[in-house]
Amino acid sequence: MIIAERKPVNEIVEMVKDAKRVLVLGCRGCVSVCSAGGEREVELLSSLIRLGKQKQGQKAEVIGATLVRQCDKEYVDEIDQWQGRYDAIVSMACGVGVNFIANLRPNDQVFPAVNTTSFGGSAEQGVWSEQCAGCGDCVLHLTGGLCPVARCAKSLMNGPCGGSVEGRCEIHQEVPCIWQFIHERLNRFERRQDLERVAPIRDWRSAGHGGPRKTVRDDLTV
Amino acid sequence: MAFTPDIQVFCCHYTSQQALAEGPEGLAADGFPANATINRLVCGGKLKVSSLLAAFEQGADGVCVIGCRPDECHNLMGSQRAARRVLAVKKALEELEVEPERVAMFHLERGFHPEFVRVTQEMNEKLQQLGPSPFKGEKR
């Protein structure tokens, strides 16, 4: 899922300083699962914005609502039901949601309530860790299912580097050396030779270095 | 004129059981502040961050949460969960540049205990020093 975390409240209050009516809009997708922008977080942020405004001696009307997703036009169109009742939208979705609202609603001001941090999973309750960099050219079939792009601090394609000590990364003791894990896993399956293959220099255009990426499925377009 | 803070006390069924059995007059006789309002929960684990924030929105100058001792909670983890939610509110108050001391968690033995009254008195004194909640927009 896409992992996000709420921005500091003061930053958000500053964004909407000129708005008397604010629509705080959550998303039931990824940000709901990682507890950054679902219904519960909308309730809390609405309260915090009201408190922030109260502290500045201002009154604000804050509506809290949550869409099924903010990355599909049909769901973003549901914002029509609050038309005329807000001066600004604070989106608690990932950056995709904020962009979609900006794309689809040229006359609405939209502000981000979260920082979109990574693609990851829940390592344990309350902890999320990055697992994928979305680089557009997966090498997981060669690396035992473990991603060196996202999980090696240097995104090495031929690790480990000289800084790996007893399976730990040199940037921090808490960070496992993913290349150590990759070697151990491939050894377990007797597939060390996968790493001996000479690979061409990586083409990073698929990772966004070639401009914004777009996926088109002819079988689905209408 | 001395400032009288509005204190909202959130406490679990078990820690407040004997205190509530005293009744309002009994509690007052024991020194429980008249400006403190008890909000009873079935368990500290049911406490919501949004309820604590709502208390501030509705005019509380401070919020006091009382739960079982961490290793003696009737429902095992309830008071630990409440403590984490209190920490979340402290953090939110700090973000809004408001004194985090306006919300506090106390872990007490179950049943009536003079400490139940004592911690609310402590909270009362602390809030008198801090003055009115900045969310009220009053002069401090």
Side-chain angles (χ1 to χ4, degrees):
Chain A
M1 78 187 109
I2 294 176
I3 311 296
E5 56 188 350
R6 180 173 55 73
K7 285 176 175 286
V9 180
N10 268 354
E11 264 184 46
I12 300 168
V13 172
E14 174 66 19
M15 290 174 202
V16 294
K17 65 177 189 298
D18 298 324
K20 290 189 169 62
R21 301 169 306 166
V22 178
L23 173 60
V24 177
L25 208 51
C27 175
R28 293 205 185 102
C30 308
V31 289
S32 182
V33 183
C34 70
S35 298
E39 266 177 69
R40 194 184 301 170
E41 292 74 35
V42 165
E43 190 184 6
L44 297 183
L45 183 61
S46 300
S47 190
L48 289 169
I49 291 175
R50 276 193 295 267
L51 285 169
K53 292 266 192 187
Q54 274 175 229
K55 186 169 172 256
Q56 293 168 355
Q58 299 170 3
K59 273 197 173 174
E61 191 183 313
V62 181
I63 302 170
T66 308
L67 301 181
V68 175
R69 283 196 295 277
Q70 292 188 25
C71 52
D72 273 313
K73 182 181 181 304
E74 55 265 48
Y75 296 119
V76 172
D77 285 346
E78 288 179 13
I79 296 173
D80 284 346
Q81 64 189 290
W82 299 288
Q83 194 63 49
R85 292 174 59 197
Y86 57 85
D87 306 316
I89 298 173
V90 172
S91 168
M92 297 201 82
C94 67
V96 178
V98 181
N99 272 272
F100 255 63
I101 293 173
N103 292 341
L104 296 167
R105 306 188 73 84
N107 298 319
D108 285 349
Q109 285 203 83
V110 59
F111 299 102
V114 304
N115 290 319
T116 306
T117 57
S118 61
F119 301 151
S122 177
E124 56 187 273
Q125 191 171 327
V127 178
W128 293 271
S129 60
E130 184 171 15
Q131 305 290 315
C132 170
C135 69
D137 187 8
C138 266
V139 293
L140 295 170
H141 57 298
L142 300 172
T143 58
L146 303 169
C147 181
V149 181
R151 300 175 68 185
C152 167
K154 299 170 184 174
S155 294
L156 287 182
M157 303 304 285
N158 56 345
C161 68
S164 173
V165 179
E166 293 178 350
R168 297 278 142 188
C169 178
E170 68 179 337
I171 64 155
H172 201 286
Q173 274 290 306
E174 274 183 19
V175 178
C177 171
I178 201 64
W179 271 106
Q180 173 95 23
F181 285 16
I182 290 169
H183 280 273
E184 285 171 2
R185 256 180 89 76
L186 292 177
N187 274 340
R188 204 172 302 137
F189 301 125
E190 296 182 352
R191 287 182 52 193
R192 285 185 73 168
Q193 70 279 4
D194 286 3
L195 294 175
E196 288 166 5
R197 202 185 304 171
V198 176
I201 292 170
R202 172 79 185 235
D203 180 350
W204 288 101
R205 279 177 299 182
S206 63
H209 297 214
R213 293 164 285 177
K214 189 175 188 177
T215 303
V216 179
R217 282 270 305 271
D218 289 336
D219 56 327
L220 296 175
T221 53
V222 284
Chain B
M1 197 175 134
F3 158 66
T4 306
D6 174 344
I7 308 171
Q8 294 297 315
V9 180
F10 290 83
C11 52
C12 80
H13 173 81
Y14 300 96
T15 45
S16 61
Q17 207 161 19
Q18 290 300 316
L20 289 173
E22 292 273 312
E25 286 161 15
L27 269 176
D30 289 337
F32 186 80
N35 47 312
T37 307
I38 295 180
N39 302 275
R40 202 177 189 194
L41 306 159
V42 288
C43 172
K46 290 289 281 182
L47 184 68
K48 289 163 65 181
V49 174
S50 56
S51 306
L52 301 179
L53 293 177
F56 283 107
E57 277 193 66
Q58 287 156 17
D61 295 293
V63 172
C64 171
V65 179
I66 304 174
C68 306
R69 292 196 192 284
D71 56 348
E72 291 174 359
C73 176
H74 180 80
N75 296 312
L76 302 177
M77 299 281 289
S79 64
Q80 293 178 44
R81 292 199 168 107
R84 292 201 172 241
R85 285 158 202 164
V86 168
L87 280 178
V89 175
K90 275 184 182 288
K91 191 167 170 256
L93 293 181
E94 277 177 326
E95 283 182 50
L96 288 166
E97 292 168 8
V98 169
E99 306 91 341
E101 300 88 353
R102 288 187 182 275
V103 61
M105 174 83 206
F106 298 95
H107 293 283
L108 302 183
E109 273 179 41
R110 273 189 251 159
F112 181 65
H113 200 278
E115 283 196 358
F116 188 92
V117 173
R118 184 183 58 75
V119 296
T120 50
Q121 288 171 337
E122 258 179 39
M123 197 69 191
N124 196 21
E125 283 166 25
K126 184 170 283 172
L127 291 169
Q128 279 172 341
Q129 287 165 12
L130 291 174
S133 158
F135 300 127
K136 286 178 167 174
E138 290 174 14
K139 275 194 176 175
R140 305 176 70 190

